[in-house]
Amino acid sequence: MTSTVTTRATEVVLPGAVEPSGLEVRTRDLPAPGAGKVILRMDATGVSFAEQQMRRGRYYNQPPFPFVPGYDLVGTVTAIGPGVAAEIAGRRFAAVTKIGAWASHVLLDAEDLVPVPDGVSAAAAETVVVNGITAWQMLHRLAKVRSGNTIVVLGANGGVGSTLVQLARHAGITVIGTASERHHETVRKLGATPVDYRAPDMYDRIASLAPDGVDAVFDHVGGAGLKRSWQLLCKTGTLVSYGTAATKDDEGNSQLPILKLFGQLKMWNASPNGRHAYFYNFWAGHRHLASFRRRLADDLTQVFQLLAEGVLTPQVAAEIPLVDAASALVLAESRTVAGKVILVPEA
């Protein structure tokens, strides 16, 4: 039975390029869902690197201020519009939104929902929505790393990094992971060999662990270190760049680091050396919406299955109420925690 009732939603708003304390909390009425739409009550959302860049106005192709951030969420369907199967009401799903998920309720297309397995908590599922899709696609669709290969994961204690390590180890891949020394034990438990990213000879240490080169490097840092990542590759290796953390605090045009990165990767790919360099774009292929949704759902379903089976251990750094999103953002940006900072409804 479709809903004709409006829903009162609490939202966290990013009003401009502000410090975390500048986030605003507001309430508004969401309309009853129209054809093909649902209302998803947020059970868990999270703080990703994207929101950290967005608050500085430095995320590539972000919308103009003000807007509600929040890249993904896990929630329960509370209202459905015409044409939506009645049986999904009351069930838990995940969705990728890019923006808008830092809210108590979100209006979504039903076709963007991916079922969450029974027995998997909302917080656990939230750790592997965008992080899991990103890690799976980079490892298996882009780099196509095989069992017996060796890879390097920069930021192996982070949201994407920790998921990538676990997926790789499950696939029989050897992993060298960078992290600050305080997180080395966590990285070891995930199955990777840790290297201190603060060490001035970090790349030399990695090279000593894989003297013949590695089959893939997954680099979210960018900047000057990207060339060193490229030099770690074996003769047929693949570099996957998926961020520009090194320039997150730089002033000026936010698109310039990405454009420079594209130019560098194109130059390397033009060299006849057998190696490959890619930039991973989560939204690649979004213009072909049906196939994009199908690929996203297929990959997330596989990741969720591994989570349900215990192959993946959810890395939850903290669970913080939505209305205290400022504190959650400060914690995520402190780089003192392992895993993902989760926002949850108020108690």
Side-chain angles (χ1 to χ4, degrees), residues 156-173:
N157 63 299
V160 174
S162 61
T163 305
L164 185 53
V165 170
Q166 293 179 83
L167 289 175
R169 294 299 299 131
H170 178 64
I173 298 162

Side-chain angles (χ1 to χ4, degrees), residues 127-139:
T127 65
V128 297
V129 183
V130 165
N131 289 346
I133 296 166
T134 298
W136 180 276
Q137 292 183 347
M138 290 196 303
L139 186 68

